[in-house]
Amino acid sequence: MEAVRFAIPWSLLAAPAAWGIILYAALGRGPRRAGAAWRAVLGCVAAGMLALAIAGPSVRVSQEGRCPVVILQDVSPSVAAHRAEDAAGKDLAPFADALPPGRAGLVFFSGAAETHAAPVPGAAGAQRRLTSAALAPPARLRDAADTDIHAALLHAGAALPGGRGIILLYSDGRETRGNAIRAAQGLAARGTRIFTAAPRLQPRDVRIAGISATAAPATDKPVAIEVRLASTVPAAATVRLERAAGPSPAPASQTRDVQVDPAAGAAVLFQDAPPAPGLYLYHAHVLSAADEWPENNRASCMVQVGRGYDVLYIHGGDAPGAAMEALLAAAPAHVRLHAVPAARFAGPSAAEAVAVLDNVAAWSLPPDVLQRLAARVADGGLGFLALGGDAAFGAGGYADSPLEDLLPVSSRVGRRPAMDVVFVIDSSGSMNEVAEGFTKLVHAKSAVLDLGSALGPQDRVAVVAFAGEPRVAAPLLAASEWERLRQALVSIEAGGGTRITPAALAALGLFGPGAPPAADTVRHVLLLSDGRSEDFDVPRLADACRRTGATLSAVATGPDADRERLGRLARDAGGRLYHVTGAARQILRETFLGDMAQARGEGLTPGARPAQWRHAGPVWRQPGPPLPAVNAVNPTQPKPAADVLWQASATGGGDPSPLPLLAAWRKGLGRAAAMPWPVGQPPAAWQQDGALGAYLAAVVEWLRQEQSPEDWSARLEARDGAWWVRAEQRAGALAKPPATFVAAVFDEGAAAARQVTLEHVAPGVHEAKVGSLGSGAALAVVHRRAAGQQPDADAQGAARLPVPGLPPPEYERLGVDRAHLEAIARAGSGRLLEPAAAPDALAEIVRRAETEGYQPISIFLVAAAGAAVLLQAVLRLAGRI
């Protein structure tokens, strides 16, 4: 922690300039008056003090304060079933002893939460400690069926005096209801820090460790399916395998009995003969009297018998658009489409051969999901198609996401202009209304804080809060000063009436008079309000926007919002009006990001444009009939290695060159295509005679096509508790020197594939250990690399190996879900405390919060500068200088 902090450090640069002027004036050319040196010294001292004062310095000091702590103890069945009744009290006793008296409160929770001791503010709690009786959880909470960490965090936040302090979540992280990460983010925006710690659990469990099947079985061969078991205790178990779905409606079931050893586990082999080609789903179940954890007793895997593939269709909004319907009508019978909303998309699975992204903004998907998607295309051979619209390409932030490198077109059209954006947030009393567990004001503040990753180093953000009168919560700050903005947002409280005119004028005043100093700087105001204004002068505000060179958009968030005047102001000020119901954080975040992209000129460009063929390949052999016109385009430019198949004719004026409407290229082992126009809302001419569906089906078929190896094969093998990948060359294809094989393994949550080079162990045999493959591991790809070539340069294709099926992610966790606890702590501006050191670490955190702070000293520096000036005046009157 630094000893001195400066609020405006760049203002210190004024001191050398002032010193130079003073020294030149006092000691420069010309006759030197008596005492000039002393005048120069005193003048430099005064100037230096003023420059330091303007920089806003604060020094670290010791202070006396109180930081209340609420310990949030999980007593739900997932924790209590594997511990003694007094274990909770024994675990919490070190925390109670380590914290200062009166600081700690205690809340027990499972499906509900109860406060058993609250932090006592002031001198009343100076000597109070948690007693052993208070540390014992009530039986009624231990008997509950659910674990609601979300509600428990909100309950603990309400128990903190003043709503600020520290929450310690002591839980296994296995929530069954609510969204704890969202609750932690809301509490952090209010100034509460959340730390997590995990209990030690030792459950008795017999579970399915994995299920694997024959790779690409032929239609006349039985499917071999291996079910692997693991257990924490020696146990007798019964395994049942069911063929639940496929082209044949008749299900099939088989049962085996097995003994499971804790060290070695067990493996059961089944064989099934599907009656017809197609995609089949197998379910495995294990039953054991020794099992106390039934949730992870099942697993599933899919087996493709014969030809066929799946297409994953990711769409924005609640339902897919016309493009999905057209593709569904035109796709061959062996193509299976699965639609999923972008909000529920967690990454492609092993079953999909092609993924379609229909008008989905990059910021509506987590960065790690986008990274896994890009890696699956380049290293895993997945086909990928991006469709345009008002939330795609430049309007959806593709330029600053992994999609920019993945697609054959670039969303960076020209240099991105800098942006100064001011958020004008309604903080009237109505913003205290609760939606999804938090007030509308907390949702708005959280949405603004989520924008940091979308800003460039040249962008600046300011916040103006308004009720009866406006308050500049934060001036224009660069992205590097995001912590200052966060602190300013946390300080905003709701209360009062609604007056829009002075608030909007205060926001425009932050830009300064006249046009922007840089011609390419965008000035934009985003006004959020949920009520009717007592002072709303639309002509005056529109004129002020024109005079400052700014645009203004409005977001109406409530049923009483003055949408008529807000819409007129947005239209006259060159912006847009959005009506958002519920004011949820995610909706507001996407609205803000989309509007900022529109303000930069990166959005959808409307207007009819003629479409024409440029090339037929690589999707078609020759051009088809003339293409209908499109009603809008997403401005993009093709990359040098891309094939442009369709293009929109130039319209003259601001469009000197044609814009791509369909572009494609190879990306590593996969293929990617882009259609940067609103395919989901096509003109009627595109839907006549199923033309759009036929075009989309042809593109999807090209994206899926692959060259299977002809002179070698590969498979996964289980050995000694780990997975090995093995490639074998046919006798007539052995190369001298031997070929190199590389496996790309997609682990759960990994942003990129894990590359493993296979070792040449025998003539024509290559293998390598790839370790464990957890739930969510997509697939492994093995490809041959000729001497001197890169992995994706081998034209003979790749072998895609089905990764063994594992229990669903929500049931695979045994004991503590450490990853979820870490995510909750990060969302709450805290961290996961290691169990052994957690009490002492928490005590140190509280001590720092109570004893170390920063004291502003600007007023003392101003006084010192004044004293230097006064001393100079006194010495001059006395004739000394």
Side-chain angles (χ1 to χ4, degrees):
M1 185 181 294
E2 61 268 30
V4 181
R5 288 179 175 175
F6 292 97
I8 314 175
W10 55 263
S11 65
L12 293 174
L13 298 176
W19 291 339
I21 295 173
I22 293 171
L23 292 174
Y24 182 80
L27 307 175
R29 296 179 179 178
R32 185 176 302 176
R33 298 169 57 186
W38 281 105
R39 286 198 302 274
V41 170
L42 292 174
C44 288
V45 169
M49 294 294 182
L50 287 175
L52 281 172
I54 294 172
S58 299
V59 297
R60 189 174 65 182
V61 297
S62 298
Q63 61 181 15
E64 293 186 5
R66 300 180 65 82
C67 179
V69 179
V70 169
I71 301 174
L72 196 54
Q73 166 69 50
D74 187 349
V75 295
S76 59
S78 63
V79 175
H82 309 294
R83 316 173 77 202
E85 289 191 5
D86 62 345
K90 291 180 179 178
D91 285 353
L92 296 180
F95 291 98
D97 295 339
L99 293 174
R103 304 298 196 275
L106 179 61
V107 174
F108 291 113
F109 78 95
S110 54
E114 288 187 12
T115 301
H116 280 252
V120 180
Q127 301 301 322
R128 198 214 67 176
R129 287 188 180 273
L130 293 177
T131 64
S132 57
L135 298 177
R140 59 181 174 276
L141 289 180
R142 292 200 304 268
D143 296 337
D146 290 323
T147 304
D148 194 342
I149 302 178
H150 178 123
L153 287 172
L154 298 182
H155 185 95
L160 287 169
R164 298 186 181 182
I166 292 174
I167 296 175
L168 174 69
L169 173 62
Y170 196 76
S171 169
D172 62 355
R174 290 172 52 86
E175 66 176 331
T176 61
R177 190 171 64 198
N179 188 329
I181 293 177
R182 188 171 63 191
Q185 290 169 336
L187 290 170
R190 228 167 52 188
T192 302
R193 298 186 69 190
I194 299 172
F195 294 84
T196 57
R200 296 181 177 88
L201 304 179
Q202 295 180 338
R204 292 167 54 88
D205 182 67
V206 181
R207 64 188 177 96
I208 293 181
I211 176 173
S212 58
T214 306
T219 55
D220 58 346
K221 302 290 185 182
V223 178
I225 301 171
E226 183 185 56
V227 179
R228 297 178 310 284
L229 305 179
S231 178
T232 59
V233 294
T238 300
V239 183
R240 184 174 73 254
L241 181 74
E242 298 177 353
R243 177 177 8 107
S248 172
S253 176
Q254 304 178 53
T255 302
R256 301 279 193 279
D257 292 328
V258 66
Q259 290 288 329
V260 189
D261 181 75
V268 184
L269 184 66
F270 295 90
Q271 285 196 338
D272 182 55
L279 188 71
Y280 289 87
L281 176 64
Y282 288 90
H283 294 308
H285 304 257
V286 61
L287 298 174
S288 176
D291 186 29
E292 297 178 348
W293 206 278
E295 293 94 336
N296 56 11
N297 288 2
R298 62 184 178 88
S300 303
C301 72
M302 300 186 78
V303 180
Q304 176 63 53
V305 179
R307 188 171 182 268
Y309 62 92
D310 288 5
V311 175
L312 181 66
Y313 196 96
I314 309 141
H315 59 85
D318 298 328
M324 169 73 174
E325 298 176 4
L327 181 57
L328 192 61
H334 63 270
V335 178
R336 292 165 296 276
L337 270 74
H338 308 280
V340 59
R344 291 169 42 202
F345 176 57
S349 69
E352 287 96 27
V354 177
V356 179
L357 197 66
D358 183 4
N359 194 28
V360 175
W363 48 67
S364 65
L365 299 174
D368 61 322
V369 170
L370 288 175
Q371 290 171 352
R372 289 201 301 273
L373 176 64
R376 279 289 311 281
V377 175
D379 298 325
L382 181 73
F384 180 69
L385 172 62
L387 306 181
D390 58 0
F393 295 95
Y398 288 13
D400 299 315
S401 77
L403 296 176
E404 174 67 19
D405 181 62
L406 174 62
L407 292 172
V409 297
S410 174
S411 298
R412 295 191 177 103
V413 182
R415 192 174 74 85
R416 189 183 194 191
M419 170 176 276
D420 289 347
V421 58
V422 181
F423 289 91
V424 184
I425 299 177
D426 187 345
S427 59
S428 60
S430 58
M431 292 293 284
N432 270 326
E433 295 176 6
V434 176
E436 299 186 10
F438 295 99
T439 66
K440 292 194 289 185
L441 182 59
V442 168
H443 282 301
K445 294 191 290 185
S446 299
V448 174
L449 289 175
D450 284 344
L451 304 180
S453 60
L455 297 175
Q458 77 279 19
D459 298 331
R460 297 189 299 171
V461 179
V463 176
V464 173
F466 74 96
E469 295 296 331
R471 179 173 73 88
V472 178
L476 286 168
L477 299 173
S480 59
E481 300 179 277
W482 204 249
E483 179 60 22
R484 285 185 60 196
L485 185 71
R486 189 192 70 80
Q487 294 176 358
L489 281 168
V490 168
S491 68
I492 298 176
E493 302 290 344
T498 304
R499 297 184 63 213
I500 289 178
T501 298
L505 290 175
L508 294 169
L510 294 176
F511 296 132
D520 59 349
T521 298
V522 175
R523 288 179 170 180
H524 188 58
V525 176
L526 248 167
L527 168 65
L528 182 144
S529 176
D530 73 338
R532 304 187 72 85
S533 175
E534 305 158 7
D535 182 358
F536 198 166
D537 191 340
V538 172
R540 181 183 177 189
L541 293 178
D543 180 66
C545 288
R546 286 189 290 269
R547 284 188 284 104
T548 55
T551 56
L552 184 148
S553 292
V555 181
T557 63
D560 297 331
D562 195 346
R563 280 187 278 167
E564 189 275 328
R565 287 195 291 179
L566 285 172
R568 186 150 46 92
L569 172 60
R571 183 179 63 252
D572 293 348
R576 291 145 296 280
L577 172 68
Y578 305 91
H579 182 219
V580 176
T581 57
R585 166 189 181 175
Q586 181 68 16
I587 297 175
L588 288 177
R589 173 179 177 269
E590 295 185 13
T591 301
F592 292 163
L593 287 167
D595 183 70
M596 290 166 62
Q598 293 280 353
R600 290 187 200 265
E602 299 171 335
L604 189 68
T605 303
R609 294 168 181 257
Q612 62 186 26
W613 289 85
R614 183 177 177 185
H615 297 295
V619 178
W620 295 276
R621 293 185 178 180
Q622 59 186 10
L627 300 171
V630 297
N631 53 6
V633 294
N634 292 95
T636 59
Q637 57 185 8
K639 295 179 180 176
D643 293 304
V644 178
L645 290 79
W646 302 344
Q647 64 185 18
S649 301
T651 60
D655 294 318
S657 59
L659 295 175
L661 296 179
L662 172 59
W665 71 352
R666 292 179 180 272
K667 183 64 178 176
L669 290 175
R671 299 177 177 183
M675 300 177 72
W677 58 284
V679 183
Q681 297 177 328
W686 279 90
Q687 304 186 60
Q688 293 178 359
D689 302 323
L692 179 62
Y695 287 133
L696 288 173
V699 173
V700 167
E701 185 69 18
W702 175 80
L703 290 169
R704 185 261 174 187
Q705 287 178 1
E706 60 184 3
Q707 290 181 313
S708 299
E710 297 179 354
D711 58 356
W712 58 275
S713 62
R715 66 178 183 269
L716 277 171
E717 297 179 351
R719 304 181 202 163
D720 303 325
W723 283 101
W724 291 70
V725 62
R726 181 181 178 94
E728 298 179 359
Q729 294 176 273
R730 292 178 175 85
L734 294 180
K736 295 182 180 180
T740 301
F741 291 82
V742 179
V745 185
F746 295 85
D747 296 307
E748 178 186 15
R754 174 162 51 96
Q755 303 287 342
V756 180
T757 301
L758 277 63
E759 182 182 355
H760 187 211
V761 296
V765 179
H766 309 254
E767 64 180 24
K769 182 179 179 180
V770 295
S772 61
L773 297 173
S775 173
L779 51 88
V781 177
V782 180
H783 52 86
R784 186 175 62 180
R785 183 174 62 195
Q789 290 183 319
Q790 293 300 315
D792 59 344
D794 183 11
Q796 296 200 20
R800 287 163 177 78
L801 307 180
V803 170
L806 292 173
E810 63 268 28
Y811 295 128
E812 63 144 353
R813 305 178 182 111
L814 180 63
V816 174
D817 187 353
R818 183 182 178 91
H820 193 47
L821 290 176
E822 289 177 341
I824 295 172
R826 284 196 304 270
S829 300
R831 57 186 172 89
L832 175 66
L833 305 178
E834 295 302 328
D840 293 337
L842 181 63
E844 177 63 17
I845 292 167
V846 172
R847 185 195 67 78
R848 288 199 174 199
E850 293 183 342
T851 61
E852 294 182 358
Y854 284 87
Q855 174 68 41
I857 59 171
S858 293
I859 187 64
F860 303 108
L861 294 173
V862 172
V869 173
L870 181 61
L871 178 61
Q872 184 177 161
V874 170
L875 292 176
R876 291 190 67 179
L877 291 174
R880 296 298 183 90
I881 59 174

